[in-house]
Amino acid sequence: MTEPSPSAENALSVDAPAWLEGLNPPQKEAVLTTEGPVLMLAGAGTGKTAALTARLAYLIRTRRAWPSEILCVTFTNKAAREMRHRVGELIGEAVEGMPWLGTFHSICAKMLRRHAEIVGLQSNYTIIDTDDQLRLLKQLIADQNLDEKRWPARQLAGLIDRWKNRGLNPGDLDAVENEAYANGKGQQMYGLYQQRLKSLNACDFGDLLLHMLNILRTEREVLQMYQQRFKYVLVDEYQDTNAVQYLWLRLLAQERKNICVVGDDDQSIYSWRGAEVANILRFEKDFPGAKVVRLEQNYRSTPPILAAASGLIAANSERLGKTLWTERNGGDKVRVIGVWDAPEEARRVGEEIERLEREGAPLEQVAILVRAQYQTREFEDRFIQIGLGYRIVGGFRFYERAEIRDALAYLRVIAQPQDDLAFERIYNQPKRGLGAKALEQMHRHARATGMPLAAASLQLADSDELPPRARTTIASLMGDFLRWRDMSETVTPSELLRTVLEESGYDAMLKADRSAESAGRADNLTELSRAMEDYETLGDFLEHVSLVMDNDAAGDEEKVTIMTMHAAKGLEFDNVFLPGWEEGVFPSQRALDEGGLASLEEERRLAYVAITRARRRCTIIHAANRRIYGQWTSSIPSRFIEELPQDHIEVETTMSGGASLWRANWSEREDPFAHVSAARPERSGARGPGWQRALSTGYDPKPKRLAEPGRSAASFAAKPRSDIAIGARVFHEKFGYGEVIDQEGNKLEIEFEQAGTKRVIDSFVSLA
């Protein structure tokens, strides 16, 4: 490949490849408009992935840029892999050297590794998950003497995530945000949390973007470097970006302005996780002169389905506007079925699916999309009764299972000795006799000395602060970690895991467990070992786990898919059933109470997404009675049913009162939002000194050895207190009063009046 040439505007005009000729005119326009800002407004099923990958291939094929000079951002790793594969197929060669094709988090993680020191981190920082975050916040809440029952850690975690999604640092919070937690302690707790993460050399998922946004805002040389590097920026699912993602992208693209975003404002359904539909709505203001290309030709659904979806979404005011159409003819109208209650709803859906199966329809092409998880129970009960195979999508993911998290915690401590959260998870797993008191002592000493938890435990093992058995156990465990860490330099990650599980006693614990779940837990760990075989280093695998949590399908039997509407976005099925279309269920009453008209429009977009998942048949069902959280509730049909165009739906009811009952209800009903302002609400043993050193000060990402023979662990002790000397009278909470008779570093030998001679650490005593 020669030097990229931006002047090759007609490189493919004479001999255009088949993949470019296969695009429709708007798709081709989106591909060939390479210079300047482009908004590809792509409706559901309109081939936006084909257009986006063709554009990426075109930029490479015409040598406008090297692959390493293109920033291409997706929302899932699966989408990134698919795009890389498709581009390779289009240009007829393997796509190498595309380091900047990936998710927001993976790309920012890569950037942050290069600039971590700017925000006070080391390049080998740990990415913590939600479970670790909650445990860390609980510790901070306890340190501040707050009532965790009144001010839950989960609430604080949600607030911090929201602030980071909006690009807010602790110092950016206003008075309202500060009051959101513990009567004005929001800013303080956020700041303490960020300080604690830095002391652990760690960050959470929100930090990956927030840290990079801060770096780009404050370090002009770094910003200019990336602005010059990325000649073209491509962004998929732009309607799902949150504020920090939007700000990060805008900074990177402002210099060249060669940014192409692909999205659909009508499919923006993730405000609950920070997505801002306003980002795509204001694209033309952010980038004046932007070319807007509307992809409206649908390749998925029948005309009645598209007409029903288009008629429904037209009721939204906050949209750019487009109308889906298709060259296909015919197709069944969207059915609207009224039933008496939820059990009848499940029976009716079961009967319909059995009929489809008899007619030859594969169960894999049947989906039930619900608004809320509790709706699935009736279908599960009914399908078990009739022997209909089904899968629930959205349960525990593989890497979220307890035994997997335990195994990963061991590996994290091996890779990062400063990872207190991982160490705390497994210091007594399997049970080693190290209870809550031992952990309390470890935390107390860690806080007093500023040392990581594992380092503090190692010092305690060389004193009388803990019982002899606990000291022996800790020394043995630390020796194991040292040996495993040395081993990690010479064996594969998979071999390392198998060794750790055996030598730690975890395998023996599972074998001793006679419960029905034990065998499955062992199988999961075996599968984890298999997954690790694809990675050369432990660090690569741990970063993969932090950034990716794919759901693995199990079993070969054909099954009906049951999932939420949110989870179904991006999928398609021949036959789609949409139960629970009643007021309060869909649209969700909770969403309406919290967000008013803005939430109503998002609920309508969710309905649009649900309908457009169907290729051939779509059935909407509403029940007159439904049990919600244990209470029977009578309801009327969803307002969204009233908004469906009558010419494209077929109404059926099994209730007394006739097919027009639901329309009569709505025509006589007072508008429930008449009192709401139209203004959108504002959203704002074998231990050694090397291990001690690594625990205390961090370590090189690729160390040779930790152990340094001939030196004692005492030489790496913390700095001794200057106010205690031999002969001083001191007090210890456990041993009482005594006199210091010897001193070595921060370790004291004290003759106690009641307990006799003991070796203790100076941070545990006070002058008497």
Side-chain angles (χ1 to χ4, degrees), residues 695-709:
L695 290 169
S696 304
T697 64
Y699 63 95
D700 187 286
K702 293 184 177 180
K704 300 303 179 184
R705 281 192 59 81
L706 283 171
E708 295 181 17

Side-chain angles (χ1 to χ4, degrees), residues 405-425:
R405 296 178 69 86
D406 289 343
L408 292 176
Y410 274 100
L411 298 175
R412 282 168 50 187
V413 175
I414 293 170
Q416 174 58 273
Q418 293 169 294
D419 194 336
D420 287 6
L421 300 172
F423 180 80
E424 184 176 345
R425 182 180 181 92

Side-chain angles (χ1 to χ4, degrees), residues 93 126 200 202 267 289 331 396 477 481 522 739:
E93 59 187 68
T126 298
L200 294 171
Q267 296 188 72
F396 279 112
L477 181 61
F481 274 117
E739 180 180 339

Side-chain angles (χ1 to χ4, degrees), residues 457-681:
S457 71
L458 183 59
Q459 278 205 345
L460 288 175
D462 200 21
S463 75
D464 290 328
E465 300 290 348
L466 296 174
R469 181 181 175 183
R471 297 200 300 267
T472 301
T473 299
I474 291 174
S476 176
L477 181 61
M478 292 299 101
D480 287 340
F481 274 117
L482 175 61
R483 186 176 65 259
W484 295 332
R485 189 158 188 270
D486 283 344
M487 184 184 298
S488 70
E489 298 294 310
T490 59
V491 303
T492 66
S494 181
E495 292 171 326
L496 176 65
L497 173 64
R498 290 193 291 269
T499 300
V500 169
L501 293 176
E502 180 182 355
E503 295 184 354
S504 68
Y506 206 96
D507 282 342
M509 178 189 71
L510 292 182
K511 291 177 182 177
D513 184 1
R514 302 298 182 183
S515 67
E517 296 81 13
S518 179
R521 296 177 66 191
D523 289 342
N524 290 338
L525 291 171
T526 300
E527 183 61 28
L528 178 63
S529 176
R530 293 196 192 104
M532 296 178 70
E533 291 174 357
D534 295 331
Y535 295 87
E536 293 184 4
T537 69
L538 179 58
D540 289 344
F541 175 73
L542 290 176
E543 182 155 319
H544 164 78
V545 172
S546 298
L547 296 171
V548 185
M549 286 189 178
D550 285 336
N551 226 342
D552 297 324
D556 298 328
E557 176 189 1
E558 280 199 355
K559 299 176 182 178
V560 175
T561 298
I562 306 175
M563 64 197 310
T564 65
M565 296 175 181
H566 284 98
K569 185 174 177 293
L571 304 178
E572 56 187 59
F573 305 88
D574 285 345
N575 303 283
V576 171
F577 293 88
L578 306 176
W581 280 45
E582 305 110 32
E583 286 296 300
V585 178
F586 190 49
S588 163
Q589 190 60 50
R590 179 180 299 174
L592 300 185
D593 291 342
E594 293 177 354
L597 288 174
S599 289
L600 174 60
E601 294 215 343
E602 179 158 324
E603 291 286 290
R604 190 177 286 111
R605 292 195 292 269
L606 186 57
Y608 171 84
V609 167
I611 293 173
T612 54
R613 299 311 94 196
R615 282 193 289 251
R616 300 179 60 189
R617 302 180 189 87
C618 180
T619 302
I620 296 170
I621 309 168
H622 61 93
N625 304 280
R626 187 172 298 277
R627 196 180 188 92
I628 302 176
Y629 300 120
Q631 299 293 323
W632 279 104
T633 303
S634 297
S635 59
I636 62 173
S638 168
R639 71 191 72 195
F640 298 152
I641 295 178
E642 172 68 17
E643 293 169 355
L644 294 170
Q646 297 185 42
D647 292 344
H648 301 286
I649 65 173
E650 179 181 294
V651 180
E652 174 187 342
T653 181
T654 60
M655 299 179 293
S656 59
S660 62
L661 176 63
W662 58 273
R663 290 195 182 276
N665 275 334
W666 264 108
S667 63
E668 298 171 2
R669 189 177 188 224
E670 180 183 354
D671 181 3
F673 279 88
H675 64 287
V676 179
S677 169
R680 293 172 61 86

Side-chain angles (χ1 to χ4, degrees), residues 219-377:
E219 304 293 325
R220 185 160 186 82
E221 290 184 0
V222 177
L223 174 61
Q224 290 178 338
M225 178 187 71
Y226 285 113
Q227 286 178 336
Q228 291 301 313
R229 174 187 294 274
F230 301 135
K231 293 185 176 180
Y232 295 92
V233 177
L234 286 75
V235 188
D236 194 12
E237 304 288 5
Y238 191 66
Q239 79 282 345
D240 292 335
T241 55
N242 58 32
V244 70
Q245 292 165 341
Y246 161 80
L247 293 169
W248 178 77
L249 283 168
R250 195 175 66 175
L251 280 172
L252 292 174
Q254 276 298 331
E255 179 69 20
R256 296 180 181 271
K257 294 184 171 58
N258 289 335
I259 179 171
C260 174
V261 302
V262 184
D264 183 2
D265 54 322
D266 291 335
Q267 296 188 72
S268 180
I269 58 174
Y270 296 122
S271 67
W272 49 274
R273 67 185 188 196
E276 293 279 358
V277 68
N279 293 345
I280 191 170
L281 296 178
R282 65 170 172 240
F283 183 80
E284 292 176 88
K285 293 182 179 179
D286 290 333
F287 297 95
K291 178 74 173 180
V292 179
V293 181
R294 285 175 167 80
L295 305 187
E296 298 174 305
Q297 183 177 356
N298 180 278
Y299 296 94
R300 175 189 299 160
S301 305
T302 61
I305 291 173
L306 296 180
S310 295
L312 172 64
I313 199 62
N316 270 7
S317 60
E318 294 291 333
R319 61 190 299 259
L320 296 172
K322 64 185 173 306
T323 302
L324 299 181
W325 61 276
T326 180
E327 293 181 343
R328 298 174 61 180
N329 295 314
D332 297 338
K333 291 183 177 181
V334 174
R335 289 196 301 167
V336 178
I337 301 176
V339 296
W340 177 249
D341 58 13
E344 183 181 347
E345 179 181 61
R347 286 194 298 271
R348 181 63 186 269
V349 171
E351 292 169 359
E352 293 285 336
I353 294 175
E354 288 181 315
R355 178 182 61 80
L356 290 170
E357 190 176 24
R358 288 193 300 271
E359 294 174 356
L363 292 182
E364 295 290 334
Q365 288 301 323
V366 179
I368 301 170
L369 308 183
V370 298
R371 175 61 180 88
Q373 287 283 0
Y374 68 80
Q375 292 176 253
T376 67
R377 189 186 63 83

